[in-house]
Amino acid sequence: MSEKDQLMQNINASIPIAQQMVQVENEIAQIEEKIEKKKKFWGGMKIVAMIAAVIFVLGILMIASGTKFDISILFPIPFIVIYILHLLNMNKVKKQIEPLNQKLTTLRAEPSLAWLPDKYRDGGCIYKIAEYVMGGRADSMKAVLDLLEEDIHRQQMVEAAMIGAAIGAQSRR
């Protein structure tokens, strides 16, 4: 069996695992996106909750020092409770990622991926490798990995350029 035939056999055995990996990776990305949106929304609420907590503590201290009870010290309580509920919800959402990461770890350890270095054991890399071989760009593992490294490097350069452009745009304001 030629090296290309062996590579094709390995790829064909890996595609179902790659499909599962991509699905899990997408689920993780969706949860992380949800977390980021909540962080942005609740960033301002955090400040409101801290101010409310300070007002509440000051009210309690005033009562403790002998000042007459004033119903207005109860005003901050709903803000504090809402923020605490938000924190509990965020922890629950973050815990959804743990089993998905465990599933990814299990998929990456699949025996049918033994032919592939650990660094490249994700759905995207496996699909890229299949694309290189089926498209005739590579017919050996060395050629596949060289192409993959070129693509990874190119993507890093594009991301660095985008970050540089964003920083440049921010500095011009």
Side-chain angles (χ1 to χ4, degrees):
M1 179 180 293
S2 72
E3 185 175 0
K4 184 175 182 177
D5 292 337
Q6 181 63 49
L7 195 52
M8 283 302 299
Q9 186 176 1
N10 289 338
I11 291 168
N12 289 333
S14 302
I15 293 296
I17 296 165
Q19 290 170 334
Q20 292 177 44
M21 287 177 157
V22 167
Q23 181 181 1
V24 172
E25 290 162 354
N26 287 340
E27 288 179 47
I28 290 172
Q30 288 172 351
I31 293 170
E32 288 174 342
E33 186 177 320
K34 183 193 275 186
I35 289 170
E36 284 306 309
K37 284 180 180 177
K38 285 185 178 201
K39 279 182 184 178
K40 287 178 183 177
F41 174 79
W42 286 95
M45 185 60 177
K46 179 190 236 179
I47 294 167
V48 171
M50 287 191 291
I51 292 169
V54 169
I55 292 169
F56 183 71
V57 169
L58 289 174
I60 296 295
L61 291 174
M62 287 173 55
I63 291 171
S65 68
T67 306
K68 183 180 159 197
F69 176 78
D70 184 358
I71 193 82
S72 65
I73 71 157
L74 300 178
F75 163 74
I77 292 176
F79 294 103
I80 297 167
V81 170
I82 289 170
Y83 191 70
I84 289 170
L85 290 174
H86 157 70
L87 291 176
L88 293 172
N89 185 38
M90 285 292 283
N91 285 336
K92 188 173 104 177
V93 171
K94 286 178 183 177
K95 286 184 181 182
Q96 293 174 348
I97 292 177
E98 291 173 20
L100 294 171
N101 280 330
Q102 290 172 350
K103 187 171 183 176
L104 261 183
T105 300
T106 302
L107 289 169
R108 286 184 177 128
E110 281 285 326
S112 60
L113 296 180
W115 61 278
L116 191 58
D118 290 343
K119 178 180 177 180
Y120 308 109
R121 289 186 188 182
D122 67 64
C125 285
I126 294 169
Y127 282 125
K128 278 282 194 195
I129 290 168
E131 180 184 314
Y132 300 149
V133 176
M134 291 178 197
R137 291 182 64 197
D139 55 6
S140 71
M141 190 63 177
K142 181 184 180 328
V144 162
L145 295 180
D146 287 345
L147 287 170
L148 200 52
E149 281 299 323
E150 284 177 28
D151 277 353
I152 291 169
H153 178 72
R154 189 177 305 110
Q155 183 62 35
Q156 288 171 340
M157 292 297 106
V158 167
E159 289 171 6
M162 289 172 60
I163 290 170
I167 291 171
Q170 288 291 327
S171 65
R172 287 184 213 121
R173 287 186 180 183

